[in-house]
Amino acid sequence: MFVYLIISFLASIVGAISGIGGGVIIKPALDSFSPFDVTLVSFLSGNTVLAMTAAALLKNRKSEIKLDKKTSSLLAAGGVVGGWGGKLIFDSLRMAYGNDNDIGATQSLILVCLTLSVLLFTLFKHRIPSYNLKKSSYRLLTGVILGGIASFLGIGGGPINLAILYLLFSMDSKTAALNSIFIIFFSQVTNLLFTIFSGNIPVFSPIILIFMILGGVSGGVLGSWFSRNMTHRQVDYLFSGVMTIIIGVSLFNFYNYLIL
């Protein structure tokens, strides 16, 4: 049980600092060593991320980094729609595949492609122009896409949030991280409500989720403290290092799902 606590704790520290949500670390880690199927892994990861983001947002209320109410509200509203859509797609594909290993392999491959793309973008973003889109429809649509990806992959939000928020809205690392956590929170609330009302809650030992949530909340609070005391450059370095590790673990998981 303590292994799940430690994984959630460490992942949530990194997630709160960099804005990737923690789930992008928790999900591949559980895929690698836990005996759980892909549905349960996504459920545990998503709810741990939900607890972590709630704690991080509460902790960041007094931070010097502030959310722009209009932009963040539209992104969050889109995250709600995307969270519902991503969960619907996940359940539909699971029924179509009839095999959790196939959907697990699909998730791992998509995560590898997204993470690799974001890592390359991060390394060369000084050569890539960023924009500051003003239209409300762009902000809403961005939230829908990011929330959908988060919900489908069961990772909370992941690295793609930061890259898109920088590219489309010219947000610096810390502002993008806080907005990312905001989107993740609302998309995961939607994901959880959809799971409850559709009656698709997987069978699991509640003590495991309790330990993971404890790790997620404590890691989120500690990570928020670290974030306030780190420079933008340090956050970028941490982000790039974590992306490299995630790519390697996800490739390993993809291979394992194929041979099972």
Side-chain angles (χ1 to χ4, degrees):
M1 294 298 176
F2 286 102
V3 174
Y4 300 110
L5 173 66
I6 293 170
I7 289 175
S8 301
F9 177 69
L10 296 177
S12 296
I13 290 176
V14 176
I17 293 172
S18 60
I20 61 176
V24 72
I25 304 171
I26 296 171
K27 172 70 164 55
L30 292 182
D31 281 337
S32 296
F33 79 87
S34 77
F36 308 138
D37 61 36
V38 65
T39 303
L40 180 52
V41 167
S42 294
F43 181 82
L44 293 173
S45 174
N47 283 286
T48 302
V49 168
L50 174 59
M52 184 279 290
T53 52
L57 288 173
L58 287 172
K59 187 68 175 177
N60 271 295
R61 285 182 302 173
K62 298 181 180 179
S63 171
E64 72 278 4
I65 305 297
K66 301 297 181 182
L67 294 171
D68 177 85
K69 291 183 179 180
K70 181 178 180 180
T71 298
S72 300
S73 296
L74 288 168
L75 289 171
V80 169
V81 177
W84 173 80
K87 180 60 177 175
L88 185 63
I89 293 172
F90 175 86
D91 288 342
S92 299
L93 287 179
R94 184 168 177 263
M95 292 180 62
Y97 279 133
N99 186 335
D100 278 354
N101 290 335
D102 289 339
I103 196 169
T106 301
Q107 286 180 316
S108 295
L109 184 59
I110 292 174
L111 186 56
V112 168
C113 294
L114 289 176
T115 307
L116 180 60
S117 299
V118 173
L119 178 59
L120 292 173
F121 172 83
T122 302
L123 294 175
F124 298 102
K125 71 177 182 181
H126 59 284
R127 301 181 182 178
I128 302 172
S130 61
Y131 304 88
N132 190 7
L133 303 180
K134 299 293 186 180
K135 287 188 177 180
S136 298
S137 57
Y138 292 148
R139 298 170 184 174
L140 186 65
L141 181 59
T142 300
V144 171
I145 294 172
L146 296 180
I149 292 172
S151 181
F152 174 74
L153 295 180
I155 59 173
I160 191 173
N161 287 21
L162 301 186
I164 294 298
L165 291 174
Y166 165 81
L167 179 64
L168 299 183
F169 306 109
S170 296
M171 294 183 186
D172 60 54
S173 300
K174 290 189 177 183
T175 303
L178 188 55
N179 276 276
S180 174
I181 291 172
F182 199 63
I183 298 169
I184 292 167
F185 173 77
F186 283 97
S187 68
Q188 289 306 309
V189 167
T190 306
N191 189 325
L192 176 60
L193 292 176
F194 185 89
T195 301
I196 292 172
F197 288 117
S198 63
N200 290 326
I201 299 177
V203 177
F204 66 98
S205 173
I207 191 65
I208 293 176
L209 182 57
I210 291 172
F211 270 84
M212 291 184 68
I213 287 176
L214 286 174
V217 170
S218 56
V221 171
L222 187 57
S224 296
W225 180 86
F226 278 123
S227 179
R228 292 195 301 273
N229 292 278
M230 292 174 66
T231 65
H232 293 296
R233 182 178 293 273
Q234 288 172 328
V235 172
D236 287 340
Y237 281 147
L238 176 66
F239 178 78
S240 298
V242 172
M243 293 305 94
T244 304
I245 295 172
I246 291 170
I247 291 170
V249 175
S250 297
L251 283 172
F252 173 77
N253 291 336
F254 176 68
Y255 173 76
N256 277 347
Y257 277 124
L258 287 181
I259 64 174
L260 289 177

